Amino acid sequence: MTGYRLPNSGLVDRAATLEFRFDGKRFTGHAGDTLASALLANDQLLLARSFKYHRPRGLVTAGVSEPNALMTIGSGARTDANTRATVAELYAGLEARSQNNWPSLKHDVGALNNLLSPFLSAGFYYKTFMWPAAFWEKLYEPLIRRAAGLGRAVLESDPESYEKCWTHCDLLIVGSGPAGLSAALTAGRAGLRVVLAEQDFRLGGALLSETTTIGEQTAPAFAETVLSELGTLPNVTLMPRTTVFGWYDDNVFGAVERVQKHVAQPLAKLPVERLWRIAAKRALLATGAEERPLVFGGNDRPGVMTASAIGTYANRFGVAAGKSVAIFTNGNAGYRTAEDLARQGVGITAIIDTRADAPSRSAEALKDVRIIKGAGIIDTMGGQRLNKLVFERSGYEEVIACDAIGMSGGFNPVIHLACQRGARPVWSVELDTFVAPDVGGGLSIVGAAAGRYSLSACLADGAEKAATIAADLGFAATSYEAPAVGEEVDPSFTALWYVPGAKSKAFVDFQNDVQARDLGLALREGFGHVEHAKRYTTNGMATDQGKLSGVNAAGILAGMRGVSPAEVGITTFRPFYTPVSFGALAGTARDMHAAPKRVSPLHGWAERNGAVFVEAGLWYRSSWFPREGEKTWRQATDREVLNVRENVGLCDVSTLGKIEVFGSDAAEFLNRLYCNPMAKLPIGKARYGLMLREDGIVYDDGTVSRFGENHFFVTTTTGLAAGVLSHMEYCAQILWPELDVRFTSVTDQWAQMSIAGPKARDVVQALVEDDISNKAFPYLSAGVVTLKGGLKARLFRISFSGELAFELAVPASFGESVADAVMEAGRAHGICAYGLEALNVLRLEKGYVTHAEFDGRVTPDDAGFGRMVSAQKLDFIGKRLSTRYGLTAADRMQMVGLKPVEKDKTIRAGAHLLKEGAKPSTINDQGYVSSASFSPVLDHDIALAFLKSGRERYGERIVVWDRLKNEETVAEVCEPVFVDTQSTKLKV
Amino acid sequence: MASLIHCPHCGIRPKEEFTVRGDASLVRPEPDASDEAWHEYVHIRANPRGRTREHWQHLYGCRRFLVVERDTVTHEVYSVTDGAAAARGGSR
Amino acid sequence: MRYSAFALVKQALQGNRGWTPAWREPQPKPHYDVIIVGGGGHGLATAYYLAKEFGVKNIAVLEKGYLGSGNVGRNTTIVRSNYLLPGNEPFYEFSLKLWEGLEQDLNYNVMLSQRGIINLFHNDADRDAHIRRGNAMWMEGVPAEMLDRETLKKMMPFLNFDHARFPIMGGLLQKRAGTARHDAVAWGFARGADRHGVDLIQHCEVTGIRRENGVVVGVETSRGFIGCGKLGLAAAGNTSVVGQMAGLKLPIESHVLQAFVTEGLKPCIDHVITYGAGHFYISQSDKGGLVFGAEIDGFSSYAQRGGLATVEHVMEEGVTMIPGLSRVRVLRSWGGVMDMSMDGSPIISRTDIDNLYLNCGWCYGGFKATPASGFCFAHLIAKGETHPAARFLRLDRFERGYPIDEHGAGPQPNLH
């Protein structure tokens, strides 16, 4: 074949010449070209290697279904692998590389597979490589794996940006061919909000490749006229370069707009791709129809394309696929392509028609063309470039020289989207293909996609269906009548699934190298169900997802089984219609924007005090506050802990969930919510609260404070703040709607700081007008106080360190200045800021629990809170199921303390427990360490652990088994409190 | 249903704004109901293939729990009503 | 016909015309000793082991579609035994051991690829949880390793180490974990079962379960009544529907889980990797596609398809974990209907009804469990007693207070 640029035809801008490279070689094309059309114009036929046999391949199509011409475009971090050259818009500086070959496209060692093909039949790998067993992973699989894939992903951070949008419309039209345009014009004139989405960079669809006239105009000119009117309608949005890839529930369509994929240097201010979720009241599928390849021997040689692709290259791009083109057809459409080519001066060597009874055509352009009826191509020749074909008729073979073959095997409506939500395609006897089922009013199929192939039918169908939709939606009807169409293509054909007598490989799925005989093998081995055949042979599993091969495979299987394709069916259509990048679907959610960032109102204060921050859910929390000379987190943390125990420290606890609860039934509500009693909590008091799930397992803990008869304030852990609020809403709205209770999250409204240590009162009193002596404001008091200067604040005498402690809450905007004032007031008392790490050590030394202990499998009793659970209360969440046998069994794991017997040994959270001398096994597993740390007060490691029947085992020696670290430490089981065991410091 | 939900308070909103709590036909037993009744309430699900009623919360909206009546095969939504109103009405 | 390299060569030289069907297509007999409902991975494995290991002779598998048309063919093909709880770990390790000998046992290459799984973690609490899990694995004799950030950086430079919202702290590695070719697992078990005389009956939908005096005696099907001695249900996804035919009340909700594959790429991701600050998991198939998934959509559903919101969420997690995925294109998404149980763990159990046995509740874990599920279910059906590896997977564990709650999420299925 010899591709060349035709002198006059086509829609490319011949004034704009674009330079580009393919495999390092320099080429030129024109604006309006695809990479494929430009390569063809330069007679670059060999474009790719197939997946399995590495066969040389060229273009088969001129559109999204292209199975062969996949290439890598771009360089560095801007590399896009597996891009179909047939849809890649040409731009100056485009760099493309071929794929799946070594050392070069022309000389590819992988082509050896082609010679071995008898041994590489469908599913061969299931039948071998099993002996010797170890060889599969050591030898065979690495070999297979090396051959995997087509393009190479660079997996570097993507420098470009993406975004997502919603849009809403009355009517979404997918496809801007004749049916789409007439529908858009009808609906647009009627006033509907219309979105017209077209995957191509140029609107017009099949009209752009059409040579007939519409009214007085050429088809492309007609498209221009319609588009210019649509452009003036404010209610119509035209979206070129936008592929609708999925149809989802509620008539929402997913679409991706390629905003800057066609430019060498994308502008930073714009995304390269944009994801659209289009919520459409109605939608029209105007996606046209696709010509089927014919399955014949040698049908994959570069130079063999669908006839419509050859037509499109000539008519739209002004590129001839060859100088002597043969058309191989089973219908009348092939003749039309031949006429179009002949009129443009392209040589037609022959038209080979599989139909012996094909109607005679008398087109002037074809008067000298040899027409061979009742014949079939059985082989092609020419190595990497077609130069001859062999056809067979009535037992006689003949060789014809040609440099391109246009194959025309009939048409398949493009119904992918309509079948993505469970409805199966329906076999049409008249059309000899699968058509879309009735999928309800939301999505209608129109034009060629509905099997109405002629141009006039498409124009009429689009207008008619759009008018119906307009009327349905209550718009005043307008009608649109397109001008008369000139000579029409006759789309009739006689289905032929397989051309008999193939003398070389006849491919059904080009990319995956699935031949007709592979389908035969599948059938022979019991894989005749269309889904089995697909999975066994990989037919339809390539990047085109069976767009070209699916119907042919169904036809071939049907033929072999002796049934109708209706009985065989076709494999399931699923999103995505064409592949979509991760980037477009992810949008802006990446890197540091992967999740929202929450910072405490005291964040600035913490920064000023030198905090090191750590992610805690969405929050950044201050973790430790290193001082000069401190090299490790441990040094800072130890100092902070000791300072709190000896003097005083300030810790930011603002991230705790805070919920304000009001209502005459607030007390009753909280009483049912927590497993311990809350109804009689006195005003001005705080109480620890434990919340269960309905299955009796601990859900969350926190404090409940009462500010008034009908006013409470509850805190949750940082991690479950959102979950607890939602749980409370469920209880209030669904379980107990009769209770008079209202609540709201005030987490972000308050800055809350814990001031803990023996000197805490001195520091806080210096700032507070009110008397906070132990007598006036004893342990577990909660109240509103006035800060010096007049600010109202909330003060709680609660402690998570075991020290004398106050939690001071002020409106968020005052947080930093109050914290600064506390630090100032505390300076004389040796105050330090302390972080999450110190907080954790302090609580561990006292045996206080966190979600390291409450991991969603622990009962109150497991953690030593058994007596807190109210036996008196009639009902609370979790009451009934907490008494189940397994939840009260004596051998449950209970929380204990652990101390290493040799003080210099370490204990790590996550280690498991074994009896001394016991062999490690799941049955011998005694429990695990939930939290551990070094205690600077005790100068050795301490831990909380869950141990089977643990509370009976104080004093026992147990092995702390950390196999991951290859460490064993003998520890003594003890009560889970290590410091100030009598709690003498708390209540002074 | 998997794309848009018509919240009776906020209008048609994207599914991302909602979370699903689960079967809305379950009624929390009385405190003195049988162990079996409690077990079934917490653990047993009718899990119908077809019409079902489910609690969805409009978490990033009005925060109301809604009863979404829908089909588990087609995902067609028949109605969306306020959950508390349904609970008060004893219609569950 | 025995498969081997020799057979392959011999057949190739004869034009591959001598291959015989992988399984027969028998007509249903009036009565079987054991009927398994569900011709997916678990049902086929059950039948295979019943015949091969437990000497049961007269077995049928009834499948309403084609063999392997359910979740065995619509998962992310991950095989692993890195569980935390004693109710799960021994079972999944038993399964992994069966996987390791499966190809020779079945004479079918299921392409088990022990590429290793790495569970990333991103904060101290997660690290501690992974240490606990790794040590739990070792307790069962299952090797596990902790990898620190620097090691991971060398092994997988493509992970987000530079601009991560949740920086990677380390990972837990199980080297023996990996992937297998999912369809081949169904076909291998089907062929193996068939070779042991099991009748595999496709396109035969069970429409009722017939009981006499409370005892199961057979099933009504789209192809008529078929009697049986014992009936095993292995119809995950549709467990509630089938169970209802016998009046079973089940702790199951059906949910849709989506999975995805990209266009074929040259090898770039060697391991199975899971994201710790979300629920994303990814591996690369021997064909080159990146196979990945994340969480269920969250609503109960019997539709084998999910929503766009979840699709986007999955991609967000993917790009967050591996920024370079951004320009990789996703080829196809699909959905499977999961039995989500109330504690996130499976059920292999007798029921209150004589002769009726239940295999369900596989949640996210069905594929990797396939061999052990079949083996333990066959053991239960044949011997009437629980296999030790599955002794905690009882149906009555919820009522008795012995949930196996790997995630600590409680009895809300869409949280597991």
Side-chain angles (χ1 to χ4, degrees):
Chain A
M1 139 171 161
T2 311
Y4 63 97
R5 186 77 69 177
L6 292 161
N8 298 313
S9 45
L11 305 173
V12 295
D13 180 359
R14 287 168 194 257
T17 297
L18 307 174
E19 202 168 278
F20 68 101
R21 284 169 184 271
F22 173 66
D23 275 349
K25 202 172 155 196
R26 196 183 302 244
F27 294 98
T28 59
H30 296 299
D33 260 329
T34 60
L35 177 56
S37 67
L39 285 165
L40 186 61
N42 284 281
D43 195 28
Q44 176 67 41
L45 306 183
L46 177 64
L47 298 178
R49 291 280 176 167
S50 64
F51 176 68
K52 190 171 167 186
Y53 299 143
H54 287 248
R55 290 173 67 91
R57 292 287 168 79
L59 297 167
V60 181
T61 72
V64 297
S65 304
E66 177 58 35
N68 285 345
L70 269 58
M71 29 198 77
T72 300
I73 293 183
S75 60
R78 287 197 164 96
T79 300
D80 292 318
N82 298 335
T83 304
R84 286 151 293 156
T86 49
V87 297
E89 189 174 350
L90 192 68
Y91 56 84
L94 185 151
E95 278 193 42
R97 291 186 302 284
S98 62
Q99 305 182 150
N100 200 37
N101 58 67
W102 184 84
S104 71
L105 179 59
K106 211 167 159 59
H107 306 284
D108 179 13
V109 169
L112 276 173
N113 285 357
N114 194 34
L115 301 176
L116 298 173
S117 63
F119 307 99
L120 309 182
S121 56
F124 75 96
Y125 29 76
Y126 303 130
K127 298 170 181 162
T128 183
F129 304 136
M130 289 172 283
W131 188 89
F135 273 40
W136 164 247
E137 290 210 50
K138 298 236 155 41
L139 178 67
Y140 305 132
E141 197 206 8
L143 281 175
I144 289 182
R145 204 171 170 83
R146 247 188 14 211
L150 293 170
R152 197 173 293 283
V154 294
L155 292 192
E156 285 176 30
S157 191
D158 190 345
E160 286 163 355
S161 65
Y162 301 81
E163 69 181 27
K164 300 184 189 181
C165 305
W166 277 92
T167 189
H168 300 257
C169 60
D170 296 313
L171 177 63
L172 167 68
I173 301 167
V174 186
S176 66
L181 286 186
S182 71
L185 202 54
T186 309
R189 285 177 179 174
L192 281 75
R193 279 183 306 163
V194 175
V195 170
L196 178 63
E198 168 57 57
Q199 63 192 359
D200 205 313
F201 54 87
R202 181 159 181 159
L203 294 155
L207 293 171
L208 304 178
S209 314
E210 183 55 65
T211 51
T212 193
T213 52
I214 301 172
E216 301 300 308
Q217 294 178 294
T218 65
F222 168 77
E224 275 311 308
T225 307
V226 175
L227 285 165
S228 63
E229 180 177 344
L230 289 174
T232 65
L233 298 175
N235 52 319
V236 174
T237 307
L238 302 177
M239 298 182 74
R241 299 190 179 93
T242 302
T243 302
V244 179
F245 60 76
W247 180 36
Y248 296 94
D249 283 351
D250 315 304
N251 235 32
V252 170
F253 293 79
V256 63
E257 180 186 3
R258 290 172 299 281
V259 182
Q260 295 194 91
K261 276 291 185 190
H262 58 294
V263 294
Q265 280 300 325
L267 300 174
K269 65 179 182 183
L270 283 178
V272 290
E273 291 185 287
R274 187 181 281 138
L275 177 75
W276 288 95
R277 300 92 142 199
I278 305 172
K281 282 185 189 152
R282 299 294 170 86
L284 279 176
L285 197 61
T287 39
E290 179 124 47
E291 196 167 32
R292 291 205 284 254
L294 285 163
V295 181
F296 60 91
N299 66 344
D300 70 325
R301 197 173 304 283
V304 182
M305 308 163 70
T306 63
S308 57
I310 291 182
T312 294
Y313 286 120
N315 303 339
R316 174 172 169 188
F317 297 103
V319 177
K323 290 185 169 154
S324 54
V325 178
I327 299 292
F328 184 28
T329 187
N330 64 351
N332 295 341
Y335 292 81
R336 175 59 177 273
T337 306
E339 287 168 38
D340 285 350
L341 293 170
R343 280 199 206 99
Q344 295 177 69
V346 178
I348 305 293
T349 16
I351 296 174
I352 299 165
D353 194 325
T354 61
R355 302 168 299 174
D357 59 346
S360 291
R361 308 260 306 187
S362 56
E364 174 64 22
L366 300 180
K367 66 178 188 324
D368 298 327
V369 172
R370 182 177 173 201
I371 294 173
I372 307 159
K373 295 184 187 175
I377 299 178
I378 56 173
D379 205 358
T380 63
M381 292 165 192
Q384 297 183 347
R385 214 178 160 88
L386 177 73
N387 59 20
K388 290 187 199 73
L389 64 81
V390 184
F391 74 85
E392 185 266 352
R393 182 166 62 165
S394 314
Y396 292 96
E397 294 177 12
E398 186 181 331
V399 178
I400 300 182
C402 63
D403 58 5
I405 298 175
M407 46 184 174
S408 179
F411 294 91
N412 298 329
V414 178
I415 55 173
H416 198 295
L417 286 172
C419 300
Q420 285 184 354
R421 293 177 61 210
R424 313 287 308 180
V426 180
W427 180 254
S428 160
V429 176
E430 304 84 70
L431 297 171
D432 253 328
T433 189
F434 290 95
V435 296
D438 181 359
V439 288
L443 178 65
S444 312
I445 328 296
V446 64
R452 296 176 177 86
Y453 296 135
S454 78
L455 203 45
S456 49
C458 285
L459 291 166
D461 198 27
E464 193 179 307
K465 290 204 169 109
T468 307
I469 288 167
D472 279 359
L473 295 178
F475 287 83
T478 57
S479 66
Y480 166 69
E481 203 167 319
V485 175
E487 196 198 345
E488 289 267 18
V489 179
D490 171 6
S492 64
F493 64 93
T494 305
L496 180 66
W497 304 113
Y498 177 72
V499 180
K503 290 197 145 182
S504 57
K505 292 186 172 70
F507 288 93
V508 184
D509 185 312
F510 291 99
Q511 189 182 116
N512 275 354
D513 284 328
V514 181
Q515 307 166 58
R517 70 160 70 140
D518 290 315
L519 294 169
L521 177 62
L523 183 61
R524 201 172 310 137
E525 296 195 82
F527 295 90
H529 189 285
V530 69
E531 291 284 355
H532 276 155
K534 166 187 163 179
R535 289 151 183 257
Y536 195 63
T537 65
T538 73
N539 190 81
M541 290 171 78
T543 55
D544 62 310
Q545 291 285 286
K547 286 188 181 69
L548 288 185
S549 62
V551 179
N552 276 341
I556 290 170
L557 283 169
M560 292 187 298
R561 279 165 55 182
V563 298
S564 156
E567 201 171 309
V568 172
I570 190 161
T571 56
T572 314
F573 294 101
R574 293 185 182 282
F576 304 87
Y577 170 61
T578 53
V580 182
S581 72
F582 265 85
L585 290 162
T588 55
R590 59 183 68 212
D591 294 339
M592 293 306 286
H593 298 294
K597 174 179 174 177
R598 293 182 82 182
V599 294
S600 144
L602 298 180
H603 195 78
W605 165 83
E607 275 179 333
R608 282 199 300 283
N609 284 271
V612 172
F613 293 95
V614 65
E615 304 80 13
L618 298 179
W619 293 97
Y620 283 88
R621 295 185 69 179
S622 39
S623 194
W624 68 90
F625 293 82
R627 287 189 179 170
E628 222 175 291
E630 290 173 343
K631 292 199 176 64
T632 66
W633 68 272
R634 255 289 299 281
Q635 289 172 324
T637 301
D638 287 357
R639 171 187 47 77
E640 289 167 22
V641 169
L642 291 171
N643 197 62
V644 170
R645 294 267 181 243
E646 282 158 25
N647 298 310
V648 59
L650 167 57
C651 183
D652 178 9
V653 294
S654 304
T655 61
L656 292 178
K658 309 180 204 74
I659 301 167
E660 205 86 9
V661 186
F662 296 94
S664 60
D665 291 323
E668 173 63 18
F669 177 72
L670 294 173
N671 205 42
R672 294 184 194 180
L673 200 63
Y674 289 91
C675 71
N676 52 323
M678 289 295 169
K680 299 210 167 68
L681 178 65
I683 294 168
K685 283 289 176 191
R687 181 176 288 172
Y688 178 73
L690 200 54
M691 219 182 257
L692 308 186
R693 300 189 307 232
E694 200 68 279
D695 65 350
I697 299 290
V698 175
Y699 179 50
D700 198 37
D701 64 348
T703 57
V704 179
S705 305
R706 192 167 198 169
F707 287 124
E709 182 60 25
N710 300 331
H711 178 197
F712 292 78
F713 172 77
V714 308
T715 65
T716 75
T717 58
T718 301
L720 281 180
V724 167
L725 182 69
S726 181
H727 173 60
M728 288 170 66
E729 286 163 335
Y730 180 77
C731 293
Q733 293 173 34
I734 303 299
L735 299 186
W736 309 309
E738 70 281 6
L739 294 185
D740 174 28
V741 61
R742 293 286 184 276
F743 45 87
T744 189
S745 167
V746 293
T747 302
D748 296 290
Q749 275 65 34
W750 294 96
Q752 195 151 322
M753 51 206 97
S754 173
I755 299 127
K759 297 173 183 168
R761 184 178 291 114
D762 299 333
V763 176
V764 178
Q765 188 67 78
L767 297 169
V768 174
E769 298 276 8
D770 312 63
D771 176 7
I772 57 162
S773 66
N774 194 39
K775 189 149 177 270
F777 201 75
Y779 182 56
L780 294 179
S781 293
V784 176
V785 295
T786 307
L787 300 189
K788 289 177 178 162
L791 183 67
K792 294 282 181 196
R794 286 176 176 178
L795 193 65
F796 308 87
R797 226 190 115 183
I798 51 183
S799 174
F800 199 50
S801 57
E803 298 298 323
L804 166 66
F806 296 85
E807 283 191 14
L808 178 64
V810 296
S813 54
F814 292 94
E816 289 197 27
S817 43
V818 172
D820 286 341
V822 173
M823 294 301 282
E824 188 53 37
R827 195 201 307 244
H829 303 285
I831 197 167
C832 72
Y834 69 101
L836 212 50
E837 291 292 346
L839 183 82
N840 192 43
V841 176
L842 289 161
R843 69 96 188 170
L844 195 53
E845 287 179 333
K846 283 294 294 178
Y848 296 155
V849 293
T850 67
H851 279 299
E853 283 68 42
F854 289 149
D855 67 355
R857 289 173 285 259
V858 165
T859 68
D861 188 61
D862 295 343
F865 292 101
R867 273 178 305 175
M868 253 179 70
V869 181
S870 170
Q872 271 72 50
K873 281 201 281 187
L874 181 65
D875 188 15
F876 58 85
I877 297 284
K879 179 178 165 92
R880 282 300 292 273
L881 267 72
S882 67
T883 60
R884 283 179 293 166
Y885 181 77
L887 265 59
T888 52
D891 65 345
R892 282 187 70 85
M893 292 189 287
Q894 294 169 336
M895 193 174 88
V896 297
L898 296 179
K899 296 187 268 199
V901 171
E902 292 172 54
K903 298 300 174 202
D904 58 336
K905 294 282 188 187
T906 58
I907 298 178
R908 190 164 73 149
H912 283 237
L913 307 176
L914 282 169
K915 283 184 183 163
E916 277 190 293
K919 209 169 139 266
S921 75
T922 300
I923 287 170
N924 285 342
D925 196 349
Q926 295 292 295
Y928 66 95
V929 177
S930 55
S931 303
S933 84
F934 173 76
S935 164
V937 174
L938 301 174
D939 199 27
H940 61 75
D941 272 16
I942 55 172
L944 295 178
F946 284 82
L947 173 66
K948 283 186 176 168
S949 313
R951 285 195 293 271
E952 298 166 7
R953 297 169 71 172
Y954 295 157
E956 187 180 318
R957 283 156 58 104
I958 196 116
V959 175
V960 179
W961 190 75
D962 194 344
R963 179 64 182 76
L964 283 172
K965 232 167 119 184
N966 254 323
E967 268 185 24
E968 290 183 20
T969 302
V970 180
E972 183 198 324
V973 179
C974 61
E975 208 179 324
V977 50
F978 302 91
V979 168
D980 187 25
T981 51
Q982 302 305 310
S983 292
T984 56
K985 301 175 82 176
L986 200 56
K987 301 173 184 174
V988 294
Chain B
M1 175 273 299
S3 303
L4 302 169
I5 289 289
H6 193 149
C7 174
H9 309 294
C10 310
I12 295 173
R13 303 299 307 166
K15 188 254 175 195
E16 293 94 306
E17 294 183 357
F18 299 80
T19 52
V20 184
R21 169 84 185 205
D23 193 341
S25 64
L26 300 164
V27 179
R28 193 168 185 269
E30 293 300 315
D32 57 356
S34 68
D35 285 352
E36 194 184 352
W38 273 96
H39 159 62
E40 291 192 3
Y41 167 68
V42 174
H43 293 126
I44 301 300
R45 299 289 183 271
N47 194 24
R49 187 185 167 91
R51 195 175 274 250
T52 193
R53 300 171 78 240
E54 217 170 32
H55 277 133
W56 291 49
Q57 187 181 15
H58 195 185
L59 197 74
Y60 303 108
C62 59
R63 295 196 67 95
R64 296 295 290 178
F65 276 86
L66 310 172
V67 176
V68 177
E69 191 173 2
R70 65 177 181 88
D71 191 293
T72 58
V73 180
T74 63
H75 293 178
E76 184 183 350
V77 176
Y78 304 112
S79 67
V80 184
T81 51
D82 186 76
R88 274 197 208 94
S91 69
R92 283 185 299 137
Chain C
M1 171 177 251
R2 198 171 164 74
Y3 292 159
S4 66
F6 174 72
L8 204 65
V9 170
K10 189 176 154 212
Q11 289 298 331
L13 297 175
Q14 296 165 7
N16 285 309
R17 303 210 164 269
W19 295 109
T20 54
W23 48 76
R24 298 163 294 129
E25 293 204 17
Q27 290 301 310
K29 290 190 256 179
H31 188 273
Y32 290 93
D33 293 343
V34 177
I35 285 179
I36 304 297
V37 180
H42 292 220
L44 293 167
T46 305
Y48 172 74
Y49 289 117
L50 271 172
K52 176 167 180 281
E53 299 291 335
F54 300 98
V56 179
K57 291 274 177 276
N58 190 21
I59 307 166
V61 175
L62 308 184
E63 167 55 47
K64 72 173 175 179
Y66 57 93
L67 294 178
S69 53
N71 293 333
V72 71
R74 47 184 90 239
N75 55 70
T76 46
T77 79
I78 297 168
V79 171
R80 60 182 173 90
S81 66
N82 56 353
Y83 281 74
L84 170 69
L85 298 176
N88 278 327
E89 180 59 15
F91 173 78
Y92 283 100
E93 175 56 15
F94 177 55
S95 199
L96 188 51
K97 289 220 170 77
L98 290 173
W99 277 111
E100 287 170 332
L102 200 58
E103 283 150 6
Q104 287 69 36
D105 189 28
L106 293 176
N107 178 233
Y108 206 87
N109 188 357
V110 300
M111 305 177 90
L112 175 70
S113 177
Q114 291 178 289
R115 334 192 52 75
I117 187 169
I118 292 167
N119 304 122
L120 300 176
F121 53 80
H122 308 256
N123 58 52
D124 288 353
D126 263 1
R127 177 202 56 208
D128 294 352
H130 280 83
I131 295 171
R132 181 180 166 198
R133 173 141 62 132
N135 281 317
M137 291 162 66
W138 274 111
M139 275 286 179
E140 185 60 22
V142 179
E145 290 171 44
M146 290 301 276
L147 304 178
D148 63 14
R149 182 179 159 91
E150 292 313 308
T151 308
L152 285 170
K153 213 168 172 172
K154 283 192 199 101
M155 285 169 73
M156 298 176 227
F158 51 78
L159 295 176
N160 194 348
F161 289 102
D162 299 330
H163 307 286
R165 174 70 176 80
F166 301 105
I168 294 165
M169 186 180 258
L172 181 69
L173 166 67
Q174 184 188 18
K175 277 188 178 159
R176 286 164 59 235
T179 58
R181 170 83 180 98
H182 57 4
D183 290 322
V185 175
W187 301 337
F189 274 118
R191 176 168 165 272
D194 178 86
R195 277 157 49 120
H196 284 92
V198 174
D199 280 0
L200 307 176
I201 301 166
Q202 306 185 64
H203 310 292
C204 178
E205 184 171 3
V206 171
T207 54
I209 294 174
R210 191 185 289 180
R211 281 192 279 171
E212 282 171 16
N213 304 319
V215 180
V216 169
V217 295
V219 288
E220 315 287 348
T221 79
S222 54
R223 295 169 72 169
F225 174 78
I226 308 175
C228 66
K230 292 174 178 175
L231 182 64
L233 307 182
N238 282 295
T239 298
S240 300
V241 176
V242 181
Q244 201 175 34
M245 296 173 192
L248 293 179
K249 292 178 179 171
L250 296 172
I252 299 286
E253 259 181 29
S254 296
H255 282 258
V256 63
L257 176 62
Q258 299 192 63
F260 306 83
V261 66
T262 68
E263 298 178 330
L265 298 167
K266 292 292 171 197
C268 55
I269 295 181
D270 288 337
H271 301 80
V272 181
I273 314 170
T274 76
Y275 183 50
H279 198 180
F280 183 82
Y281 36 92
I282 189 165
S283 66
Q284 187 167 18
S285 79
D286 282 345
K287 200 165 171 287
L290 301 177
V291 181
F292 60 98
E295 282 163 336
I296 52 177
D297 272 42
F299 44 78
S300 67
S301 172
Y302 285 90
Q304 286 175 327
R305 59 190 174 79
L308 183 56
T310 303
V311 174
E312 293 174 37
H313 180 68
V314 174
M315 304 303 156
E316 288 171 3
E317 291 201 335
V319 168
T320 300
M321 183 171 100
I322 305 177
L325 287 178
S326 181
R327 300 180 86 94
V328 172
R329 280 182 292 249
V330 190
L331 182 60
R332 187 173 174 91
S333 68
W334 61 94
V337 179
M338 308 289 117
D339 272 10
M340 295 303 294
S341 68
M342 290 296 144
D343 58 0
S345 294
I347 295 162
I348 298 178
S349 184
R350 67 181 78 253
T351 67
D352 290 340
I353 300 168
D354 282 349
N355 295 343
L356 183 63
Y357 300 86
L358 187 64
N359 175 318
C360 66
W362 291 100
C363 304
Y364 293 84
F367 181 68
K368 64 188 76 68
T370 305
S373 168
F375 199 100
C376 296
F377 198 35
H379 185 284
L380 176 67
I381 292 170
K383 298 192 164 188
E385 56 192 58
T386 311
H387 186 278
R391 67 186 182 280
F392 296 107
L393 307 180
R394 299 158 56 131
L395 177 59
D396 64 2
R397 67 176 184 262
F398 303 97
E399 201 161 357
R400 294 174 61 246
Y402 288 95
I404 308 170
D405 193 343
E406 198 82 15
H407 290 100
Q412 193 183 325
N414 63 357
L415 298 182
H416 289 287

